[in-house]
Amino acid sequence: MLNNIFRTDQDQRPIGIFDSGLGGLTVLNDLAQSFPNQHFIYLGDLANLPYGNKSKDNIIKCSLSCANFLKEKNVKGIVIACNTASSYAYEQIKNSLSIPIFDVIRPCAESVSKSNLKKIAIIGTEKTIESNVYYNIIKSLNEKIQIYNVACPLFVPLVEEGLESSSIAYSIIDMYLKNLKKLNVDGLVLGCTHYPILLDALKKYFNNSISVFKSGQALADKFSITSRKINKTNNNSVQIKYYVTDLPGRFIKYGNKFSFQTIKDVQLVKL
Ligand code: DGL
């Protein structure tokens, strides 16, 4: 059973998680808080950030390198904590590695399709939106939902620069989402793992009147029986190792702003 890797205490091997940068930490937060008995290894591929405007071939190549790195660390399963990589590389990773692989799109699309919402918007990187993976899965499960797709390419650099609460963030949100606001959508799918870092700004922009779906939360909810939350103060019992392919200092500086656990040691690796 796939979900055993999150629930079992017998297999003490870590769960591997990767993203192009900081965004996957939002998925790690959700998973580590739902499954505090598990150990995790996080890899941020900062040397290749951003994935969201790369070619399909390059996204697959980078994603496979990350997955292979984690496999060599003897993880018991891998979470692709990146919607862009989930859109293009999920099948390839699943077919080339003989361990359980989880993407962040399917659980989120399933949870959207089960909601009572009528008109939703999916926001994501240029390549995630172009792939139409969210749209196709949601429509295949619930053809009545009306869906709008909006690519927001500047959201990732905003987050990676630590500007999520700045006035620039609000201007950029308005630039991308003003048409959506006029359409009165009732649900917003954060189709990029960096976007939960903009959650407060996004909620405020929609006057707190919109249901928001986060891909990491949807994955954690899918595999947890009850949602267990641990506080930022007593979190250091969850064992997490951090690796990046570039700029460890930057990862610590910005990652610590929203990581549920204090990030101290980050190892630089070449893939
Ligand atoms: N966080 C990633 C995602 O969920 C991608 C960001 C990027 O590298 O463009 O799509």
Side-chain angles (χ1 to χ4, degrees):
M1 286 281 286
L2 277 183
N3 60 1
N4 276 350
I5 78 152
F6 295 105
R7 294 225 204 110
T8 182
D9 292 338
Q10 278 145 22
D11 186 345
Q12 282 294 301
R13 288 177 301 160
I15 296 170
I17 299 186
F18 78 87
D19 178 44
S20 55
L22 295 171
L25 288 175
T26 64
V27 179
L28 177 63
N29 280 347
D30 289 327
L31 290 174
Q33 290 178 86
S34 291
F35 307 106
N37 298 330
Q38 299 299 327
H39 302 155
F40 297 91
I41 292 186
Y42 185 89
L43 171 64
D45 189 11
L46 271 82
N48 292 304
L49 175 89
Y51 283 9
N53 55 9
K54 291 208 161 39
S55 65
K56 178 181 172 184
D57 286 352
N58 261 321
I59 295 167
I60 293 174
K61 194 170 131 213
C62 295
S63 306
L64 276 171
S65 302
C66 291
N68 281 320
F69 169 83
L70 292 170
K71 173 91 195 294
E72 278 164 29
K73 293 279 168 205
N74 195 28
V75 294
K76 59 180 167 181
I78 293 175
V79 174
I80 308 172
C82 170
N83 288 263
T84 313
S86 295
S87 299
Y88 294 94
Y90 173 60
E91 295 297 334
Q92 281 84 352
I93 295 175
K94 212 166 64 155
N95 294 337
S96 66
L97 301 183
S98 53
I99 52 173
I101 307 294
F102 302 85
D103 76 306
V104 281
I105 293 185
R106 277 144 198 89
C108 189
E110 281 166 17
S111 122
V112 173
S113 69
K114 284 184 207 141
S115 70
N116 294 324
L117 301 175
K118 306 217 163 26
K119 215 197 259 186
I120 62 139
I122 299 160
I123 58 174
T125 65
E126 201 180 312
K127 293 305 279 187
T128 296
I129 295 303
E130 194 184 298
S131 76
N132 255 335
V133 175
Y134 268 104
Y135 183 95
N136 292 337
I137 300 178
I138 296 170
K139 279 285 181 190
S140 73
L141 298 169
N142 181 343
E143 60 176 23
K144 287 194 188 129
I145 300 187
Q146 207 178 329
I147 303 175
Y148 296 94
N149 275 318
V150 183
C152 306
L154 288 175
F155 282 6
V156 169
L158 261 186
V159 167
E160 291 284 335
E161 291 295 329
L163 294 170
E164 68 279 357
S165 312
S166 65
S167 57
I168 300 165
Y170 286 95
S171 306
I172 293 175
I173 289 173
D174 186 51
M175 176 179 86
Y176 287 131
L177 305 185
K178 59 173 173 287
N179 288 336
L180 214 54
K181 205 173 179 181
K182 288 185 203 140
L183 291 164
N184 287 324
V185 288
D186 43 17
L188 184 69
V189 178
L190 306 187
C192 171
T193 55
H194 279 73
Y195 296 2
I197 299 161
L198 289 163
L199 187 62
D200 289 344
L202 287 166
K203 278 189 175 163
K204 201 163 154 192
Y205 185 71
F206 286 100
N207 304 317
N208 286 310
S209 62
I210 198 162
S211 302
V212 178
F213 294 83
K214 299 194 292 164
S215 46
Q217 187 65 56
L219 177 69
D221 288 349
K222 181 169 174 165
F223 293 105
S224 52
I225 313 171
T226 51
S227 83
R228 290 152 85 190
K229 295 275 174 223
I230 46 179
N231 302 324
K232 208 173 172 178
T233 44
N234 68 0
N235 54 44
N236 287 322
S237 59
V238 182
Q239 281 181 33
I240 307 174
K241 280 194 179 146
Y242 299 92
Y243 296 89
V244 289
T245 55
D246 206 358
L247 304 168
R250 187 182 178 81
F251 182 83
I252 293 176
K253 181 176 169 195
Y254 293 117
N256 267 324
K257 282 175 53 181
F258 58 87
S259 170
F260 84 104
Q261 184 185 69
T262 310
I263 305 171
K264 289 191 199 113
D265 299 317
V266 178
Q267 234 171 287
L268 180 63
V269 290
K270 293 277 166 248
L271 300 184

